[in-house]
Amino acid sequence: MSEDIFKDFKFEWCNKTFSNYGFLYEITDDNTKGTKTKLNGTMTILRAKEQIKRNFKYLIKFKIGLKSGSDFNIGIGTDNGAKLDWLKTAESICLSDQGIFNLGKCIDTSNKIKNNDIVEIEINSIDGNKYFKGFINNKLVCKIDYNLENIYIMAAIRNVGNFIEVLNYEVSPC
């Protein structure tokens, strides 16, 4: 497969609601920045437009804005897990402002997302070697093997004014 076809891949948040409240965010900057705009205190899920495909490696870099307080998650999960309005479920893995969560359990409280952090996630979707790596400000904070299927990159934001912005997105075949 030619590497040239991956030059045109881009990351986009999709307009999809997972809650009873409708759309509580605004997507701007060519669908790469999501900002919480309504209903302060209610978690809002942003989901990538494209599902993670098998036998690919993804590297995505985000800027995090936590101006208005906390409860912010970024990671991978299923649509089913997202219906619970956050990523600390049995069907997701995430970095958050409260630590690192793997399949609903907090596994580390010493590495937390803060305002203006640069967060990178690396996802390897090769059967038999699936893993999620999380980096905060260029520091590797976790490597978690996973067995989830039909997953997406997702973010969960609680407070109005908080945002997540994609800075870089790379996809390559494995």
Side-chain angles (χ1 to χ4, degrees), residues 34-109:
T35 304
K36 175 81 179 223
T37 57
K38 298 176 191 163
L39 213 50
N40 205 39
T42 301
M43 285 301 268
T44 301
I45 295 284
L46 286 171
R47 193 197 79 188
K49 197 173 191 178
E50 300 292 326
Q51 191 175 69
I52 298 294
K53 293 176 181 23
R54 286 186 133 134
N55 298 317
F56 284 85
K57 186 174 186 177
Y58 296 78
L59 183 62
I60 308 99
K61 184 185 285 189
F62 303 93
K63 181 174 182 181
I64 306 299
L66 288 173
K67 299 176 196 173
S68 305
S70 64
D71 218 350
F72 192 104
N73 320 147
I74 176 70
I76 59 173
T78 66
D79 265 351
N80 196 36
K83 290 176 184 169
L84 299 173
D85 291 333
W86 64 352
L87 300 181
K88 298 180 215 166
T89 70
E91 296 185 36
S92 61
I93 300 167
C94 74
L95 307 176
S96 82
D97 61 308
Q98 298 166 1
I100 300 168
F101 288 79
N102 181 18
L103 306 178
K105 296 178 183 160
C106 184
I107 60 169
D108 179 353
T109 58

Side-chain angles (χ1 to χ4, degrees), residues 1 4 6 13 76 93 139:
M1 196 179 292
D4 291 340
F6 298 101
W13 295 114
I76 59 173
I93 300 167
K139 176 187 167 195

Side-chain angles (χ1 to χ4, degrees), residues 156-174:
I157 305 170
R158 183 174 301 280
N159 292 339
V160 170
N162 290 344
F163 69 88
I164 184 163
E165 179 178 8
V166 177
L167 300 177
N168 190 36
Y169 179 64
E170 297 174 23
V171 180
S172 58
C174 297

